[in-house]
């Protein structure tokens, strides 16, 4: 676990790792939390930041719109060679969602997917988000699951570009669990799902 680390520095580190990896570089999962930050994806519209704030806004190269990261949110970056694992992007997204759904279920929280809106939801409130960048068949960025964080910064944006989308957390759902514990559970489940994915593609 990397602890509480600066977003921009971690973003640059992911890009360096991906640019320099070879066909033999092992995949890595980076487990961490971030100080408060808004991130705006490639297609992101600045107007989805509704209320100016002291929280920094970082423009990045993943898909998707605007989201928020802060302490108490479990973040895992998946530096994975999709080609080697014979995984398509859509399959990778489904795998990430499944890991979050399974961990939430283990805490008694019934979550679900919503068609056309990546991530996981508890009824109408988003509890887990994801975004990926694929470069030379390898992924970076990843997922975030709200554990025990201040949810008010989400009210200052249209989360993921959806007006009025509510956010929730494990704490709000009545689950008293630490963020590091959830990170460990997510990493274990992601590793299981990745190892059970089809063997690497040839050629």
């Amino acid at each position: 676990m990397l602890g509480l680390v600066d977003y921009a520095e971690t973003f640059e580190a992911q890009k360096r790792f991906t640019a320099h990896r070879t066909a033999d570089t092992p995949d890595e999962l980076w487990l961490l939390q971030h100080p408060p930050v808004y991130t705006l994806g490639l297609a992101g519209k600045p107007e989805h930041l509704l209320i100016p704030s002291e929280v920094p806004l970082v423009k990045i190269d993943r898909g998707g719109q605007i989201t928020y990261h802060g302490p108490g949110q479990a973040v895992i970056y998946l530096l994975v060679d999709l080609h080697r694992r014979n995984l398509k992007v859509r399959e990778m997204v489904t795998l990430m969602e499944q890991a979050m759904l399974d961990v939430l279920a283990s805490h008694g929280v019934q979550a679900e997917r919503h068609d056309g809106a990546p991530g996981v939801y508890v009824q109408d409130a988003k509890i887990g988000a994801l975004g990926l960048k694929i470069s030379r068949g390898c992924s970076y960025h990843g997922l975030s699951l709200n554990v025990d964080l201040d949810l008010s910064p989400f009210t200052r944006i249209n989360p993921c570009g959806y007006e009025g989308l509510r956010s929730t957390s494990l704490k709000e759902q009545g689950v008293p669990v630490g963020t590091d514990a959830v990170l460990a559970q997510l990493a274990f489940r992601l590793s299981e799902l990745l190892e059970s994915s089809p063997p690497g593609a040839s050629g």
Side-chain angles (χ1 to χ4, degrees), residues 40-116:
L40 191 66
L42 283 171
K45 298 178 180 177
E47 57 264 32
H48 287 308
L49 177 61
L50 305 175
I51 302 172
S53 132
E54 70 286 351
V55 175
L57 175 69
V58 180
K59 294 181 179 179
I60 57 172
D61 59 357
R62 61 159 170 77
Q65 293 282 339
I66 193 168
T67 194
Y68 170 76
H69 299 300
Q73 183 187 65
V75 176
I76 298 188
Y77 293 131
L78 292 94
L79 297 115
V80 174
D81 187 331
L82 271 65
H83 178 73
R84 188 167 65 205
R85 292 184 181 272
N86 198 23
L87 277 170
K88 296 181 172 63
V89 177
R90 180 65 246 177
E91 293 169 339
M92 183 69 164
V93 167
T94 299
L95 183 152
M96 293 159 66
E97 289 172 337
Q98 192 61 52
M100 289 192 282
L101 290 170
D102 291 346
V103 168
L104 289 166
S106 75
H107 291 286
V109 176
Q110 257 335 100
E112 60 194 24
R113 296 179 174 92
H114 283 182
D115 287 343

Side-chain angles (χ1 to χ4, degrees), residues 1-7 10 31-36 70-73 180:
M1 291 194 190
L2 301 176
L4 188 69
V5 292
D6 179 78
Y7 185 89
T10 314
L31 284 59
L32 51 103
Q33 299 177 56
H34 286 305
Q73 183 187 65
D180 283 350

